[in-house]
Amino acid sequence: MKIRHLPSTVTMQCFETAARHLSFTRAAEELNITQSAVSKQVAQLEDVLQRKLFRRLRRSLVLTPEGALYLSEARKILAQIEMSTNTIQTWSGEGEVLKVATLPTFGSRWLAHHLPDFLDAHPQLALQLSDRVEAFDLNGEGIDIAVFHGHGSWSGLECHRLFDEDVVAVASPHYLTQKRPDAGCGFAKCRLLHLDTRPAAWHQWFADQGIRSERSYYGTRVETFHTLIQMLINGAGLGLVPRFLIHQELESGQLALASPHVLTSPDAYYLVTPEALGEQSRVRHFIDYMIART
């Protein structure tokens, strides 16, 4: 096995503390070691990185651009080590951890609604829920189950279809009153809002009706449906949103249909799990439970 020359956690901790205080002396006081020990650890880290992390200006200490960049990464690493350590320290051995990754808006608007009853039914499971915007490697990140949107055929994954989606064009009632949008003209007078991961959505929506629009790829882009929905409510423009995500907003009148046309997406929402985990009880319980709610 190739030996990797990595900095120790003590070295990174000394660097992070010194960077936070911008002082070796105050870092030494917090860590209960000598000032020279902190300085030595930082020097060793600089040797490993082949970069200067601090500049000394008169009697003050400042981070170099490389130091500021490395500080951000060091904090992530130390936080992960701390979380993992706390998890093991508090683990009783009586339960199982289920790691689930979900699309952010899907997680907050559909999945979260069903999680309390699932957790009550399976008190032995400790759930770790995280958000992902795009598809990723479950095995590489140690995720048991994920929610994907797409074609339903991903290599090495067992895929379980949850449901299709009907996409509608919506805006705030005030915006619709002001602009009086005409879908037949490609909503020429309106600002179109786009989701980063679905750049062709408006083009598909127009094409499904035989409408040609030169503006279908132009407009404001956002990363999540959550942000898109909030912008629509506040009158930022027109957006395409799966109807199931905005039932409440349509019922309350915060949003209204800009057109009666509904685009049935060729893609769907799936629960996916690595093929090797498909028969594990914690995975099977979650999949069976959520499919029964669709």
Side-chain angles (χ1 to χ4, degrees), residues 1 65 84 86 90 101 103 124 139 143 169 185 188 194 196 199 220 236 245 258:
M1 181 180 296
S84 299
N86 289 337
T90 57
L103 298 163
Q124 81 283 5
N139 287 305
I143 299 297
C185 295
H194 302 259
D196 274 343
T220 299
L245 291 179

Side-chain angles (χ1 to χ4, degrees), residues 12-23 26-27 30-31:
M12 296 183 67
Q13 198 171 12
C14 285
F15 164 67
E16 190 281 330
T17 308
R20 179 160 30 90
H21 292 297
L22 290 177
S23 168
R26 293 180 63 187
E30 179 178 322
L31 297 172

Side-chain angles (χ1 to χ4, degrees), residues 1-6:
M1 181 180 296
K2 183 179 179 180
I3 297 176
R4 294 184 294 177
H5 298 286
L6 300 175

Side-chain angles (χ1 to χ4, degrees), residues 37-50:
V38 173
S39 180
K40 182 179 179 181
Q41 291 291 335
V42 171
Q44 289 177 353
L45 182 57
E46 290 178 330
D47 285 342
V48 171
L49 298 174
Q50 294 294 294

Side-chain angles (χ1 to χ4, degrees), residues 8 38 59 85 101 108 118 145 152 161 201:
S8 69
V38 173
R59 295 186 178 181
T85 301
S108 63
F118 171 77
I145 303 171
R161 194 184 192 100

Side-chain angles (χ1 to χ4, degrees), residues 177-189:
T177 300
Q178 279 190 321
K179 299 294 184 178
R180 300 187 181 279
D182 181 356
C185 295
F187 293 139
K189 297 180 180 179

Side-chain angles (χ1 to χ4, degrees), residues 33 51 60 62 71 79 96 108 158 199 225 247 254 260 270 276 291:
I33 57 178
R51 296 289 187 278
S60 64
V62 297
L71 175 61
E96 293 182 278
S108 63
E158 181 181 306
F225 273 125
H247 277 311
Q254 290 179 290
Y270 292 84
I291 288 178

